């Protein structure tokens, strides 16, 4: 969505609210999920642009539904990623470095929200998602899902050196 901020810049209004669903197939800023992840539209966006004595800020939240696999046990998982976005809006040509991440750039009173949104969503989307924080994952040797109990692979245990001596004595007996 491209927001027209002319009435905000001129001071006619102090804030502009917006709410829309992102066009995820847009040609200019398509939302392409990372490998092994699929996104389920719509991506609902809700926010506001506020002018405080000439200082303009953009803030919004976006909800992105996804499905993927647990990074440890490969179980199918799905969930909702919520992005919170807060930036200062600067007029094109007033910044030395327009790639500065602290700002979003408005051109001729217009602000392209989608471009910023898609960029930020892909940047902030977690690179590893787990079915649950405590997921035990798969055994690297036999591949058993350790969430359903231990496997039969021999475990390397750290043995107390004093016990190791005792064990040796017993073995030699
Ligand atoms: Zn898992
Ligand atoms: Zn195993």
């Amino acid at each position: 969505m491209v927001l027209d901020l002319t009435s905000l810049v001129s001071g006619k209004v102090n804030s502009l609210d917006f709410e829309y669903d992102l066009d995820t197939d847009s040609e200019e800023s398509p939302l392409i999920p990372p490998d092994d992840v699929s996104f389920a539209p719509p991506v609902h966006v809700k926010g506001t642009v506020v002018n405080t004595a000439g200082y303009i800020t953009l803030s919004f939240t976006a909800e992105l539904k996804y499905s993927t696999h647990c990074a440890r046990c490969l179980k199918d998982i799905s969930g909702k990623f919520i992005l919170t976005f807060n930036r200062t809006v600067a007029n094109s040509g007033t910044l030395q470095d327009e790639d500065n991440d602290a700002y979003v750039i408005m051109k001729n009173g217009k602000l392209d929200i989608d471009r910023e949104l898609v960029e930020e969503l892909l940047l902030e989307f977690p690179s590893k998602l787990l079915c649950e924080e405590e997921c035990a994952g798969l055994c690297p040797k036999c591949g058993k899902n350790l969430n359903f109990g231990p496997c039969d692979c021999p475990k390397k245990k750290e043995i107390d050196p004093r016990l190791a001596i005792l064990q040796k004595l017993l073995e030699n007996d």
Side-chain angles (χ1 to χ4, degrees):
M1 173 187 263
V2 176
L3 274 185
D4 186 349
L5 300 183
T6 349
S7 59
L8 191 81
V9 174
S10 69
K12 207 180 271 176
V13 296
N14 292 325
S15 69
L16 274 177
D17 295 336
F18 59 93
E19 186 167 3
Y20 70 104
D21 289 334
L22 172 74
D23 173 13
T24 49
D25 298 324
S26 121
E27 260 175 48
E28 290 120 65
S29 34
L31 184 66
I32 299 162
D35 283 348
D36 202 36
V37 176
S38 48
F39 292 149
V43 178
H44 193 70
V45 189
K46 194 176 178 203
T48 179
V49 191
V50 178
N51 185 349
T52 315
Y55 183 74
I56 302 177
T57 50
L58 162 71
S59 51
F60 62 77
T61 56
E63 292 182 5
L64 173 62
K65 285 187 229 99
Y66 63 83
S67 54
T68 183
H69 299 103
C70 170
R72 283 191 201 146
C73 74
L74 307 178
K75 179 181 160 181
D76 287 341
I77 50 172
S78 57
K80 200 195 270 178
F81 172 67
I82 297 178
L83 175 78
T84 334
F85 187 99
N86 294 294
R87 295 277 173 87
T88 304
V89 180
N91 225 327
S92 174
T94 57
L95 288 179
Q96 286 194 335
D97 175 15
E98 297 206 344
D99 285 331
N100 189 324
D101 277 348
Y103 296 95
V104 288
I105 307 299
M106 151 177 84
K107 275 187 187 133
N108 304 322
K110 297 208 166 57
L111 184 60
D112 184 351
I113 308 246
D114 291 358
R115 204 171 46 121
E116 307 290 341
L117 167 63
V118 167
E119 202 181 293
E120 197 70 4
L121 273 177
L122 296 177
L123 199 71
E124 295 293 323
F125 191 78
S127 58
K128 271 186 181 167
L129 288 154
L130 299 176
C131 60
E132 50 185 302
E133 223 172 292
E134 300 295 309
C135 173
L138 305 177
C139 168
K141 276 194 189 138
C142 69
K144 186 180 164 175
N145 187 334
L146 302 176
N147 293 312
F148 302 124
C151 61
D152 298 325
C153 295
K155 299 279 176 296
K156 266 195 194 158
K157 275 193 195 130
E158 289 287 328
I159 300 176
D160 186 317
R162 284 164 301 176
L163 285 176
I165 294 169
L166 194 68
Q167 201 168 29
K168 246 196 178 128
L169 288 174
L170 287 172
E171 277 167 12
N172 292 340
D173 196 21

